[in-house]
Structure formats: C-alpha cells, structure tokens
Amino acid sequence: MPAFLTDLNPGWLLILAGLAAMFIKIRSVRQAITIITPVVAILLLATTQHGVDHLTYNALGIELSFYRVDSLNFIFGLAFLIASLLNAIYALHTDNRLQDGMALAYAGAAVSATFAGDLMTLFIFWEITAISSVFLILQAGTRAAYFASMRYLGVQILSGVLLLDGIAYVWHYTGSLSLEAFTSLDQPGALIIFIAFGIKAAFPFLHNWLQDSYPKSSVVGAVILSAFTTKLAVYAFARFFPGFNELIWIGAVMTIFPVFFAVIENDLRRVLAYSLNNQVGFMICAIGVGVAGVGNPLALNGAAAHAFVHIIYKALLFMSIGAVLYRTGTAKASELGGLYRSMPWTAVFCIIGGLSISAFPFFSGFIAKSLTMSAVAAEGAANPAMIVVWLMLLFASAGVLEHSGIKIPYFAFFGHDSGKRVKEAPFNMLLAMGMAAFLCIAVGLPALVPGLGYQWLYGLLPYPIEAAAYQPFTLDHILTQMQLLILAVFAFILLKRLMLYPAEKPGVILDTDWLYRKVGYGAFRWVDTVWSKIGPATAAIATRLASRAYDNMVATFSPRGMLSRNVFSGGMTLWTAVILGLVLLVSYLTS
C-alpha cells in the first residue's frame, strides 16, 4: 500500500467522505460510499505502523501530531470503525443525505480524536464530534428533538471550552501540548480537563444530556450516537488519568444509580440510555483501578475490552428497539408486547444483545466484564475498601440484567400482547443486527481454534495477557456469574408474580436535571415576573437620578457654571498662589 495512504489518519477519510456524501444526490452512490469508506479505513488502520507520528505540523511554535497509533488507541479506533460500518448498513433503508454525511463525519471525528498525538489536535476533533452529532438528533424532525439538540449542543460545547481552558493552563505551565504533558490532578489545568472529560463521559449529575437527547433522536441517529461520544471520553480517561482513585468511586456510583431509573422508565430507548451510563461506569471504575505499565494491567485491559464489546452490543440493542420504533411508531413499553409473532428475527437479535450486556457466559460481555471484576477483587486483598466497590459492581451486574437483559426483550416482544401486527424489520436492519449479534457471540466463545474466540479480542488489548496468568472460562468465574444471573431472573419472575414489579405506564421520570430545568427555570420566571412589576418604577427613578446628576454637573462645570464665575476664578487664583508658595517654602527648608 502506498506510504501516503498508510500515513493517512482513517478518521480524516471518514470526515471527507461524509462531507462529500451530503452533496451526492444519487442514493446508491452515496450509500456505497458510507459502506466502502469504513472498510477502507479499517484496512488503513491494520497496515499502520505503531508508535510513530505519521502526520506532524508545526504551527506558531506548537508541534501538532495528527496521527499516532499505539496499543491503547488501536482497539478504540477499530471499534469505532466497525460501528461506523454497522451504522451505514443499518441506515440503508433511508434516503437522507444530511444524516448519512454527518454519521460518517461524526465517526471520523471520534476516530481522529482517538489517534490524536497532541492535546490541541484532540481538542479540534473533540469539538467536531459535538457539532456533527447534533444533526443526528435534529433529523428526528420533532419539536422535542430540536430543544433536546440545543441543550445537547450547549453541554458538548461546554465540555470543549473547558478542555481548551485546561489545555491553555498546561501550555502555560509546561510549554508542551504532548499527551504526556501532565500526570497529576494537582497540576494546573488537569482538573479542568478532568471535568471536560467527565461531562462527555456522563458522570453523575452531568449525565442528563444523554437521557435527554438520545431517545429523542432519529431511529438511525440513536444507534450512531450510542457508539462514539461516551467511549471517546472513556479512551481519554484511560489515556490521561489511569490509576486515579477518584475514578474508582465515580465509576462505581455510575454503575448503581441508573439501575433504579431504568427499572421504572417506560421509554425503552431511555432505558438503554440509563444502561449506557451503567456500562460506562464499569469502564471508568476499571480505569481508576488500573495503573498503566505498573503491576497487573488487568483493569485497564478490562476497560478497553469492555468499551469494545459495549460499542457492539449496545448498538445491537438500540438497533432492535429502533426497528420496533420504525415499524410500530413507539418505543414505550406500555404500548408494546407480543411483537415476537411479527418480528421474530428482531426479537432474537435483541435477546442476544441482552445476554451480551448481562455478561452471560459464552457472550462478549462475559469475557470483558470478568477482567474488571477480577482486577477489583484482586485489589480487595490489599485494600478492604475495594471490597465495597466489588459488591457495588456485583449489584450493578444484576441490575443491568433486570433492565437490559430482561425488561427490554420482555416488554417489547413478549409480556402482554399489544395487538400490533407489523412487518419484520427491513432486510438492511436485520443484516446490521445479524452482524452485530455474530460479533457478540464470536468474541465471547472459548478459543477452540487458536487466535479466535475471546483470544482474538485479548490479543488486541493494550497490555499482553498471558494465558497462564488469566483465563475467563474458569469454574469460579462461570459459577459466580451464573448464580448472580439466575438469582436476578428469579427476582424478576417473583416480583412479576407478586405484582410488585414497577408497572409500565406513561409518565415522566424526574432526574437531577429537574434542578435546572424546573427549579432553575422557575426561579428565572419568578425574577422575570418581579422585574416586570418593579422594573418600570425602578427605571423611572434611575432616569430621574441620572437627570438630576447631569443637571448638577452642567451647573458646576459648564461655561456658565459655578467654576466659571469671575469672583470664584479670582479666589481660585489667590489660593493657587498661596499653595504654590507653601510648596516652595517646604522645598527650600528640606533642601
């Protein structure tokens, strides 16, 4: 392959193809571009030399590195490119130039940011992900989607502004914008960058943009959005903040709180959005446990593996519910049920996604999540506090089975019969779901053939795992996970039989965004109302005071004012002479 191609950042290729796709009116040509481009990009990535700056440029004394591949960002970039291919196939039934183009540009920006070799390049593509992704929400064409997209854009731009602010501090104090420019949260700028990453990762109290925007986006848009933004933030934390203890507890809390919201939520796409918070929490916690290059790198490998498989099975779940929404016009659990009769393949693929996210043995989630759980358990031997973290992750693992492994397939395809009889999903949707389901199974299987099964994924991880040092398919791992899953299934069945499981009914679930969307807005309206009553009177008083002050100034300083009168001018002349004489006398006496 020519050198100029192997040196080309594959993300740039996606961005250029996306921009071109927006202007191509011939549907078949445009869709061929959206499919061929990710395939070419994967080939480019596979042939790129690692650990080398392939594209560099010096601007205003700043050394920019646009393309650097190493063992950490390779697995994230590969997952992003696979997701881009699946998304393109899933969207073939649509004819939307803007959506096709922005989907490629969004994926390309995420890939370009992942392979950035300096902080400024990271910032540039960090912002492009925000700008390009907002169009995927707007393509829903509803009033709710419009307002959600504006809130989403505001939050994402805030993340970018904070990132740029932190980068400015790093540049000022270190004179460098390299990826190794800071190593401590105590360093100026590092905390600001930490918060910028936390917004995009949807940390607790910063997470509501996700549940607000993803469920309101288009059918295809939600699938695309689920793959890139939060996982780009996970990569950023793995790159810059591995081993930071703060991330352990932040991640553990992230795994817990979405469970309660997801169980009572009626909108199944919002359930998946909360589930996304839960899964990212596992990755963040693992990054906090892991220390790059020191001791056992099991936790960081767990974060990378979890991000890879999560991109696939989360896309599969969003695809299946998107297909239901496309055929029935709703994703509300209270309005669905019995669809396995008319959408059997979609139901099967949804179940596979549910088994994967629930970490059933022989599915992709199991071989990824077991890395994190084993790493946290190993830390518990030396740090008793880690036992609490391990128990929190264990609870969250059972919770994700309840809301994603059971609730979504049950209420969408089984449960009470809604009476809806619709067509099966379009072939292209089934093809994309089938490819994702195949990956969920193939990656999770034991290595019956060397290099295949879970060993293929383990071979891509940032730090080598010796087969003798770690094996996911041990009796202890399998029994622990199966006991947890069986108890979770039993609890669901028991609660349903006793009619104690939260009923699926229309309504709005209040989250922490209530504080600024209701209380904050109410305070603004109160201030506006009060000002409308006292404002005119206050303005009249201020006008009279200003007018009086002006008149006094005119009376004093104008040509006809007090200071221009002859007698006063003569008096001032006399006093000036007296003061000048005193100054001269003092100067003479002190000389």
Side-chain angles (χ1 to χ4, degrees):
M1 187 173 291
F4 76 92
L5 285 179
T6 58
D7 290 342
L8 177 65
N9 188 324
W12 290 23
L13 182 64
L14 265 65
I15 294 174
L16 293 174
L19 294 176
M22 290 192 295
F23 298 98
I24 298 176
K25 295 182 179 181
I26 302 174
R27 178 178 175 181
S28 58
V29 174
R30 183 178 68 252
Q31 293 179 336
I33 290 175
T34 63
I35 293 175
I36 293 172
T37 304
V39 175
V40 174
I42 291 173
L43 294 176
L44 291 177
L45 178 60
T47 57
T48 300
Q49 183 180 359
H50 288 208
V52 177
D53 290 326
H54 294 281
L55 287 172
T56 60
Y57 182 74
N58 190 291
L60 301 176
I62 302 175
E63 187 71 23
L64 301 179
S65 175
F66 295 115
Y67 188 29
R68 180 193 299 171
V69 181
D70 58 28
S71 59
L72 176 60
N73 60 18
F74 178 85
I75 188 171
F76 283 88
L78 178 61
F80 288 156
L81 293 173
I82 293 173
S84 180
L85 175 61
L86 295 176
N87 294 338
I89 296 172
Y90 187 77
L92 286 177
H93 66 284
T94 65
D95 186 11
N96 189 323
R97 286 187 292 163
L98 183 60
Q99 182 171 265
D100 291 342
M102 285 297 102
L104 267 184
Y106 175 39
V111 172
S112 299
T114 302
F115 293 132
D118 64 274
L119 290 171
M120 184 55 66
T121 303
L122 174 65
F123 162 74
I124 292 170
F125 292 105
W126 190 271
E127 287 294 79
I128 294 177
T129 61
I131 296 170
S132 56
S133 59
V134 74
F135 290 97
L136 302 174
I137 306 170
L138 286 168
Q139 290 310 293
T142 63
R143 187 172 183 269
Y146 170 77
F147 286 110
S149 67
M150 294 301 102
R151 291 189 292 267
Y152 170 89
L153 183 61
V155 171
Q156 297 301 314
I157 293 297
L158 173 62
S159 172
V161 170
L162 291 174
L163 177 58
L164 182 60
D165 190 27
I167 290 173
Y169 273 99
V170 172
W171 169 256
H172 176 75
Y173 285 98
T174 68
S176 171
L177 291 181
S178 72
L179 299 183
E180 298 79 21
F182 62 90
T183 57
S184 171
L185 272 178
D186 297 330
Q187 189 172 336
L191 180 59
I192 301 175
I193 294 176
F194 185 92
I195 296 172
F197 292 167
I199 292 174
K200 235 176 179 66
F203 276 4
F205 300 106
L206 304 174
H207 66 280
N208 297 112
W209 61 266
L210 200 157
Q211 287 77 29
D212 181 34
S213 57
Y214 285 18
K216 296 183 179 71
S217 61
S218 66
V219 169
V220 174
V223 177
I224 300 169
L225 289 166
S226 70
F228 301 108
T229 297
T230 51
K231 264 63 72 183
L232 176 58
V234 169
Y235 160 73
F237 275 114
R239 170 68 68 187
F240 295 102
F241 298 101
F244 280 70
N245 290 330
E246 295 84 354
L247 292 176
I248 298 175
W249 294 100
I250 292 174
V253 171
M254 284 181 71
T255 65
I256 295 292
F257 83 86
V259 172
F260 302 100
F261 288 101
V263 167
I264 61 177
E265 178 59 58
N266 186 43
D267 187 332
L268 294 183
R269 293 209 295 178
R270 279 180 64 88
V271 173
L272 287 175
Y274 278 115
S275 173
L276 200 156
N277 276 124
N278 165 277
Q279 295 294 288
V280 171
F282 278 93
M283 305 172 208
I284 295 297
C285 183
I287 293 168
V289 172
V291 180
V294 179
N296 188 352
L298 208 60
L300 284 177
N301 279 338
H306 204 149
F308 184 94
V309 299
H310 176 263
I311 287 172
I312 306 302
Y313 62 61
K314 182 61 70 176
L316 176 56
L317 288 168
F318 267 105
M319 286 178 186
S320 59
I321 298 305
V324 169
L325 175 61
Y326 178 72
R327 286 306 192 195
T328 67
T330 182
K332 307 289 186 182
S334 58
E335 301 173 14
L336 297 173
L339 288 177
Y340 75 93
R341 295 180 175 89
S342 51
M343 302 182 73
W345 283 107
T346 303
V348 169
F349 293 140
C350 185
I351 291 172
I352 292 174
L355 293 173
S356 299
I357 196 173
S358 302
F360 265 83
F362 308 108
F363 289 87
S364 59
F366 174 77
I367 60 98
K369 190 178 292 184
S370 62
L371 288 168
T372 299
M373 297 299 291
S374 298
V376 173
E379 289 290 324
N383 184 0
M386 295 301 296
I387 298 176
V388 177
V389 174
W390 186 83
L391 291 174
M392 293 173 71
L393 298 184
L394 201 65
F395 171 82
S397 298
V400 75
L401 172 64
E402 290 288 348
H403 59 69
S404 291
I406 299 177
K407 175 175 179 172
I408 288 178
Y410 179 80
F411 286 106
F413 299 99
F414 304 97
H416 70 282
D417 190 350
S418 63
K420 290 181 169 63
R421 298 296 180 263
V422 296
K423 294 181 180 180
E424 178 59 278
F427 174 75
N428 66 286
M429 283 187 168
L430 293 176
L431 178 59
M433 286 188 279
M435 293 172 66
F438 170 78
L439 289 173
C440 288
I441 296 173
V443 173
L445 291 175
L448 302 177
V449 178
L452 299 180
Y454 76 88
Q455 283 190 349
W456 174 80
L457 179 61
Y458 281 12
L460 299 177
L461 296 179
Y463 306 100
I465 297 180
E466 298 294 336
Y470 182 80
Q471 285 285 344
F473 290 100
T474 63
L475 185 62
D476 178 57
H477 288 158
I478 294 175
L479 286 180
T480 300
Q481 188 66 13
M482 288 305 299
Q483 288 174 357
L484 179 70
L485 297 174
I486 291 172
L487 287 174
V489 172
F490 175 76
F492 177 82
I493 295 173
L494 182 62
L495 291 173
K496 288 294 292 182
R497 294 284 295 178
L498 297 177
M499 296 172 45
L500 296 176
Y501 194 85
E504 305 306 309
K505 56 184 179 181
V508 177
I509 306 300
L510 297 180
D511 203 338
T512 54
D513 60 339
W514 180 82
L515 295 173
Y516 59 85
R517 293 183 63 182
K518 294 298 181 182
V519 177
Y521 180 69
F524 172 79
R525 289 293 302 271
W526 179 83
V527 171
D528 183 65
T529 301
V530 171
W531 179 253
S532 65
K533 294 179 179 179
I534 69 172
T538 303
I541 294 173
T543 301
R544 286 197 296 270
L545 291 175
S547 177
R548 184 176 299 175
Y550 176 77
D551 291 341
N552 290 336
M553 291 177 65
V554 169
T556 304
F557 297 103
S558 69
R560 297 182 179 181
M562 184 172 56
L563 294 180
S564 299
R565 295 173 186 171
N566 293 333
V567 61
F568 189 75
S569 299
M572 288 299 296
T573 302
L574 177 62
W575 281 109
T576 301
V578 171
I579 293 174
L580 180 58
L582 290 174
V583 171
L584 292 173
L585 179 62
V586 171
S587 300
Y588 174 77
L589 294 176
T590 57
S591 61

PDB file of all heavy atoms in Angstrom, residues 360 401-402 406 484-494:
ATOM      1  N   PHE A 360     -23.660 -12.945  30.210  1.00  0.00           N
ATOM      2  CA  PHE A 360     -23.849 -14.389  30.254  1.00  0.00           C
ATOM      3  C   PHE A 360     -22.602 -15.062  29.696  1.00  0.00           C
ATOM      4  O   PHE A 360     -22.011 -14.590  28.730  1.00  0.00           O
ATOM      5  CB  PHE A 360     -25.070 -14.797  29.428  1.00  0.00           C
ATOM      6  CG  PHE A 360     -26.328 -14.925  30.226  1.00  0.00           C
ATOM      7  CD1 PHE A 360     -27.094 -13.812  30.515  1.00  0.00           C
ATOM      8  CD2 PHE A 360     -26.740 -16.159  30.707  1.00  0.00           C
ATOM      9  CE1 PHE A 360     -28.244 -13.922  31.257  1.00  0.00           C
ATOM     10  CE2 PHE A 360     -27.897 -16.282  31.445  1.00  0.00           C
ATOM     11  CZ  PHE A 360     -28.655 -15.166  31.737  1.00  0.00           C
ATOM     12  N   LEU A 401     -28.930  -6.830  34.152  1.00  0.00           N
ATOM     13  CA  LEU A 401     -29.743  -7.940  33.655  1.00  0.00           C
ATOM     14  C   LEU A 401     -31.221  -7.617  33.789  1.00  0.00           C
ATOM     15  O   LEU A 401     -32.021  -7.887  32.880  1.00  0.00           O
ATOM     16  CB  LEU A 401     -29.407  -9.223  34.421  1.00  0.00           C
ATOM     17  CG  LEU A 401     -30.335 -10.409  34.133  1.00  0.00           C
ATOM     18  CD1 LEU A 401     -30.220 -10.836  32.672  1.00  0.00           C
ATOM     19  CD2 LEU A 401     -30.010 -11.591  35.048  1.00  0.00           C
ATOM     20  N   GLU A 402     -31.605  -6.993  34.906  1.00  0.00           N
ATOM     21  CA  GLU A 402     -33.016  -6.665  35.129  1.00  0.00           C
ATOM     22  C   GLU A 402     -33.547  -5.705  34.053  1.00  0.00           C
ATOM     23  O   GLU A 402     -34.612  -5.936  33.474  1.00  0.00           O
ATOM     24  CB  GLU A 402     -33.193  -6.032  36.516  1.00  0.00           C
ATOM     25  CG  GLU A 402     -33.008  -6.981  37.674  1.00  0.00           C
ATOM     26  CD  GLU A 402     -34.155  -7.962  37.821  1.00  0.00           C
ATOM     27  OE1 GLU A 402     -35.198  -7.769  37.173  1.00  0.00           O
ATOM     28  OE2 GLU A 402     -33.996  -8.939  38.572  1.00  0.00           O
ATOM     29  N   ILE A 406     -33.536  -8.390  30.626  1.00  0.00           N
ATOM     30  CA  ILE A 406     -34.881  -8.954  30.767  1.00  0.00           C
ATOM     31  C   ILE A 406     -35.953  -7.960  30.345  1.00  0.00           C
ATOM     32  O   ILE A 406     -36.799  -8.259  29.501  1.00  0.00           O
ATOM     33  CB  ILE A 406     -35.131  -9.405  32.219  1.00  0.00           C
ATOM     34  CG1 ILE A 406     -34.140 -10.491  32.625  1.00  0.00           C
ATOM     35  CG2 ILE A 406     -36.557  -9.885  32.387  1.00  0.00           C
ATOM     36  CD1 ILE A 406     -34.261 -10.934  34.066  1.00  0.00           C
ATOM     37  N   LEU A 484     -25.359 -15.263  40.044  1.00  0.00           N
ATOM     38  CA  LEU A 484     -25.866 -13.891  40.051  1.00  0.00           C
ATOM     39  C   LEU A 484     -27.002 -13.733  39.059  1.00  0.00           C
ATOM     40  O   LEU A 484     -28.058 -13.147  39.368  1.00  0.00           O
ATOM     41  CB  LEU A 484     -24.721 -12.932  39.721  1.00  0.00           C
ATOM     42  CG  LEU A 484     -25.067 -11.441  39.654  1.00  0.00           C
ATOM     43  CD1 LEU A 484     -25.387 -10.910  41.040  1.00  0.00           C
ATOM     44  CD2 LEU A 484     -23.905 -10.658  39.048  1.00  0.00           C
ATOM     45  N   LEU A 485     -26.825 -14.251  37.866  1.00  0.00           N
ATOM     46  CA  LEU A 485     -27.827 -14.080  36.811  1.00  0.00           C
ATOM     47  C   LEU A 485     -29.101 -14.869  37.121  1.00  0.00           C
ATOM     48  O   LEU A 485     -30.212 -14.370  36.903  1.00  0.00           O
ATOM     49  CB  LEU A 485     -27.239 -14.511  35.472  1.00  0.00           C
ATOM     50  CG  LEU A 485     -26.046 -13.683  34.974  1.00  0.00           C
ATOM     51  CD1 LEU A 485     -25.453 -14.295  33.708  1.00  0.00           C
ATOM     52  CD2 LEU A 485     -26.456 -12.241  34.712  1.00  0.00           C
ATOM     53  N   ILE A 486     -28.944 -16.067  37.624  1.00  0.00           N
ATOM     54  CA  ILE A 486     -30.128 -16.878  37.950  1.00  0.00           C
ATOM     55  C   ILE A 486     -30.927 -16.235  39.070  1.00  0.00           C
ATOM     56  O   ILE A 486     -32.171 -16.198  39.029  1.00  0.00           O
ATOM     57  CB  ILE A 486     -29.696 -18.316  38.329  1.00  0.00           C
ATOM     58  CG1 ILE A 486     -29.169 -19.040  37.084  1.00  0.00           C
ATOM     59  CG2 ILE A 486     -30.862 -19.094  38.934  1.00  0.00           C
ATOM     60  CD1 ILE A 486     -28.551 -20.394  37.378  1.00  0.00           C
ATOM     61  N   LEU A 487     -30.245 -15.710  40.075  1.00  0.00           N
ATOM     62  CA  LEU A 487     -30.956 -15.021  41.155  1.00  0.00           C
ATOM     63  C   LEU A 487     -31.666 -13.781  40.644  1.00  0.00           C
ATOM     64  O   LEU A 487     -32.783 -13.454  41.083  1.00  0.00           O
ATOM     65  CB  LEU A 487     -29.969 -14.651  42.269  1.00  0.00           C
ATOM     66  CG  LEU A 487     -29.468 -15.809  43.138  1.00  0.00           C
ATOM     67  CD1 LEU A 487     -28.380 -15.325  44.099  1.00  0.00           C
ATOM     68  CD2 LEU A 487     -30.620 -16.444  43.916  1.00  0.00           C
ATOM     69  N   ALA A 488     -31.044 -13.048  39.695  1.00  0.00           N
ATOM     70  CA  ALA A 488     -31.690 -11.862  39.132  1.00  0.00           C
ATOM     71  C   ALA A 488     -32.930 -12.244  38.341  1.00  0.00           C
ATOM     72  O   ALA A 488     -33.970 -11.576  38.425  1.00  0.00           O
ATOM     73  CB  ALA A 488     -30.701 -11.111  38.241  1.00  0.00           C
ATOM     74  N   VAL A 489     -32.850 -13.324  37.570  1.00  0.00           N
ATOM     75  CA  VAL A 489     -34.024 -13.797  36.822  1.00  0.00           C
ATOM     76  C   VAL A 489     -35.125 -14.240  37.789  1.00  0.00           C
ATOM     77  O   VAL A 489     -36.314 -13.932  37.592  1.00  0.00           O
ATOM     78  CB  VAL A 489     -33.626 -14.963  35.891  1.00  0.00           C
ATOM     79  CG1 VAL A 489     -34.875 -15.590  35.261  1.00  0.00           C
ATOM     80  CG2 VAL A 489     -32.677 -14.471  34.810  1.00  0.00           C
ATOM     81  N   PHE A 490     -34.737 -14.960  38.830  1.00  0.00           N
ATOM     82  CA  PHE A 490     -35.721 -15.414  39.832  1.00  0.00           C
ATOM     83  C   PHE A 490     -36.406 -14.221  40.502  1.00  0.00           C
ATOM     84  O   PHE A 490     -37.621 -14.227  40.714  1.00  0.00           O
ATOM     85  CB  PHE A 490     -35.021 -16.278  40.882  1.00  0.00           C
ATOM     86  CG  PHE A 490     -35.926 -16.698  42.007  1.00  0.00           C
ATOM     87  CD1 PHE A 490     -36.869 -17.698  41.830  1.00  0.00           C
ATOM     88  CD2 PHE A 490     -35.834 -16.080  43.256  1.00  0.00           C
ATOM     89  CE1 PHE A 490     -37.706 -18.075  42.878  1.00  0.00           C
ATOM     90  CE2 PHE A 490     -36.665 -16.449  44.296  1.00  0.00           C
ATOM     91  CZ  PHE A 490     -37.603 -17.456  44.109  1.00  0.00           C
ATOM     92  N   ALA A 491     -35.619 -13.194  40.821  1.00  0.00           N
ATOM     93  CA  ALA A 491     -36.190 -11.999  41.448  1.00  0.00           C
ATOM     94  C   ALA A 491     -37.191 -11.323  40.513  1.00  0.00           C
ATOM     95  O   ALA A 491     -38.269 -10.882  40.950  1.00  0.00           O
ATOM     96  CB  ALA A 491     -35.075 -11.022  41.824  1.00  0.00           C
ATOM     97  N   PHE A 492     -36.884 -11.246  39.225  1.00  0.00           N
ATOM     98  CA  PHE A 492     -37.811 -10.632  38.260  1.00  0.00           C
ATOM     99  C   PHE A 492     -39.112 -11.426  38.187  1.00  0.00           C
ATOM    100  O   PHE A 492     -40.212 -10.859  38.229  1.00  0.00           O
ATOM    101  CB  PHE A 492     -37.142 -10.563  36.885  1.00  0.00           C
ATOM    102  CG  PHE A 492     -38.042 -10.020  35.805  1.00  0.00           C
ATOM    103  CD1 PHE A 492     -38.202  -8.652  35.642  1.00  0.00           C
ATOM    104  CD2 PHE A 492     -38.735 -10.881  34.959  1.00  0.00           C
ATOM    105  CE1 PHE A 492     -39.043  -8.146  34.656  1.00  0.00           C
ATOM    106  CE2 PHE A 492     -39.568 -10.383  33.969  1.00  0.00           C
ATOM    107  CZ  PHE A 492     -39.721  -9.018  33.812  1.00  0.00           C
ATOM    108  N   ILE A 493     -38.991 -12.762  38.080  1.00  0.00           N
ATOM    109  CA  ILE A 493     -40.190 -13.606  37.983  1.00  0.00           C
ATOM    110  C   ILE A 493     -41.038 -13.494  39.242  1.00  0.00           C
ATOM    111  O   ILE A 493     -42.277 -13.373  39.188  1.00  0.00           O
ATOM    112  CB  ILE A 493     -39.786 -15.074  37.726  1.00  0.00           C
ATOM    113  CG1 ILE A 493     -39.100 -15.197  36.357  1.00  0.00           C
ATOM    114  CG2 ILE A 493     -41.006 -15.989  37.799  1.00  0.00           C
ATOM    115  CD1 ILE A 493     -38.510 -16.565  36.084  1.00  0.00           C
ATOM    116  N   LEU A 494     -40.377 -13.517  40.407  1.00  0.00           N
ATOM    117  CA  LEU A 494     -41.101 -13.437  41.671  1.00  0.00           C
ATOM    118  C   LEU A 494     -41.836 -12.105  41.809  1.00  0.00           C
ATOM    119  O   LEU A 494     -43.017 -12.063  42.195  1.00  0.00           O
ATOM    120  CB  LEU A 494     -40.130 -13.629  42.833  1.00  0.00           C
ATOM    121  CG  LEU A 494     -40.743 -13.625  44.242  1.00  0.00           C
ATOM    122  CD1 LEU A 494     -41.725 -14.787  44.403  1.00  0.00           C
ATOM    123  CD2 LEU A 494     -39.650 -13.694  45.302  1.00  0.00           C
TER     124      LEU A 494
END
